[in-house]
Amino acid sequence: MDHWTVRGGRKLYGACRVQGSKNASLPILAASVLAGTETELTNVPRLKDIDAALRILRHLGCRAEQEGNDLYIDARGLVRSAVPHALMLEMRSSVIFMGALLARCGEARLSPPGGCQLGKRPIDLHLAALRQLGAEVTEREGEILCRASKLRGTTIRLPFPSVGATENAMLAATAAEGETVIEGAAREPEIRALQDFLNAMGCFVHGAGSGHIVITPRRARSSTEFRIQPDRIAASTLACAAAAAGGELTLLDTESAHFSTVLHFLKQAGCAIMTKQRCVTVRSSGRLRAVGPITTEPYPGFPTDAQPVLMAALLRAEGVTRIRETIFENRFRQVPELRKLGADIAMEGQSAVIRGVERLHGASLTATDLRGGAAMLVAGLAAEGETRVEDEGHIARGYESFDRVLSDLGADVRLN
Ligand code: UD1
């Protein structure tokens, strides 16, 4: 169990580099098994979810080593096409190995994935996409078996732009005979990153970012080098932390276009936002105004992953902010915990209504999930006194050395 202690009331000042993207790294790690080749990745964050992906790679027979933020994978020795249940449970992204293993081995055997309990999180769209490519998919006693003697390129129409289903379809399509078109694809920057990685591997993929992706299989190169893009949710979290605590924070090595919707609301809330090349500066007095309404949507809309941390930043904002969550049924699990700090949040169906309060006070909280846990730390920075967050390790799944990053900026945050 991780114990976080935050003593609020300190402003954040200084500059910090934004970690590499977790959600871009994970599908790329799965993609590294597509062919018997070597992959060198840079700027990979050190996180529990990355460790879980490395354990899956090793179980499959690959060599997988991380040194700092560099990662080396040798997929030539892959000997298995099954991921054991215990490894599947460690994170949601383990499901992306399905498309990759199907492409490499003609078979993938997995169980339903774990990850944050944000709602039902079915994988029907993933399975439907693989079936359309010619895979035979059977689900029996908690096990999913995908098999295909031959995958055939086709047009896949996704009824909802699921990030994971788009990734699985892209990966499986790299081994199909002929061209595959994905219509209604997710447009998140992480999909673009996967496209760029596949192209670096030697495939021919285009259209990512537009909702219409075309995959033309090609023979893979023997080795691929690739740099992971900055994490837009980690950047959003730090920006919200500075907004809540007050101060002036410069995010280095970031891509402001990837989280412009978050910056838009922080600006509306009264923060000064300065963007220059790959740097974003957030200046805040700590006293914000209510914004919105905010509705979470698939990219380029406001990201569901940034919803809890922006909510945390707005707890003391003057006025009323309404946030509607449309992606996950259970994405407000942080709300009962934030109320313990004195926050005034009412739930109305799939919306949260936040009435800004003058003061928050420290309390003992329990992290509910990755982003919900981060939201509690952000709120703790703006609360008077000490906030303790008991955490089963959710926050470390997505934030690299978060205690050190915040402490270096002047926050009083400890992790025991
Ligand atoms: C990814 C991100 C996660 C983010 C989410 C939405 C990673 C590792 N995770 O998750 O951080 O919160 O995108 O931006 O990149 N759905 C179905 N059937 C399916 C698949 C999804 O109904 O087969 C539904 C889900 O239940 C959810 C919605 O679609 O309500 C969005 O899910 P999806 O885009 O697939 O998210 P993930 O890929 O799981």
Side-chain angles (χ1 to χ4, degrees), residues 40-59:
E40 280 178 44
L41 300 174
T42 51
N43 204 31
V44 181
R46 293 202 70 110
L47 301 171
K48 271 174 67 178
D49 276 11
I50 300 290
D51 290 341
L54 297 183
R55 279 198 294 281
I56 292 177
L57 288 167
R58 290 185 200 117
H59 171 84

Side-chain angles (χ1 to χ4, degrees), residues 22 26-27 29-31 33 49-50 52-57 60 81-101 108-115 121 123 126 144 164 167-168 171 397:
K22 167 177 89 74
L26 294 170
L29 290 179
V33 308
D49 276 11
I50 300 290
L54 297 183
R55 279 198 294 281
I56 292 177
L57 288 167
L60 297 172
S81 57
V83 181
H85 186 58
L87 289 175
M88 286 300 295
L89 281 183
E90 288 194 28
M91 60 164 178
R92 172 84 183 167
S93 280
S94 49
V95 75
I96 311 300
F97 277 91
M98 188 156 56
L101 286 169
R109 193 185 288 267
L110 307 95
S111 50
R121 304 193 86 171
I123 54 167
H126 301 235
I144 303 161
E167 291 164 348
N168 253 329
L171 294 179
R397 289 188 34 231

Side-chain angles (χ1 to χ4, degrees), residues 149-171:
S149 51
K150 191 194 271 180
L151 293 165
R152 288 179 308 273
T154 186
T155 297
I156 297 169
R157 288 190 180 82
L158 290 176
F160 178 85
S162 156
V163 175
T166 302
E167 291 164 348
N168 253 329
M170 287 169 79
L171 294 179

Side-chain angles (χ1 to χ4, degrees), residues 18 55 91 131 156 178 229 253 305:
V18 174
R55 279 198 294 281
M91 60 164 178
R131 284 193 176 106
I156 297 169
Q229 68 197 18
D253 195 9
D305 286 353

Side-chain angles (χ1 to χ4, degrees), residues 30 45 52 68 72 107 111 116 147 198 266 281 291 314 336 339 370 391:
Y72 169 77
E107 181 180 290
S111 50
C116 288
R147 271 213 182 104
L198 291 174
L266 290 179
T281 300
V291 301
L314 294 169
R339 284 187 188 131
L370 165 54
D391 175 17

Side-chain angles (χ1 to χ4, degrees), residues 22-23 26 92-93 118 120-126 160-165 167 188 190 232 304-305 326-329 331 371:
K22 167 177 89 74
N23 288 356
L26 294 170
R92 172 84 183 167
S93 280
L118 306 176
K120 292 196 287 289
R121 304 193 86 171
I123 54 167
D124 54 321
L125 303 177
H126 301 235
F160 178 85
S162 156
V163 175
E167 291 164 348
E188 270 70 0
E190 294 75 27
R232 64 193 169 101
T304 176
D305 286 353
T326 71
I327 306 295
F328 292 112
E329 308 85 328
R331 193 95 225 216
R371 307 301 170 188

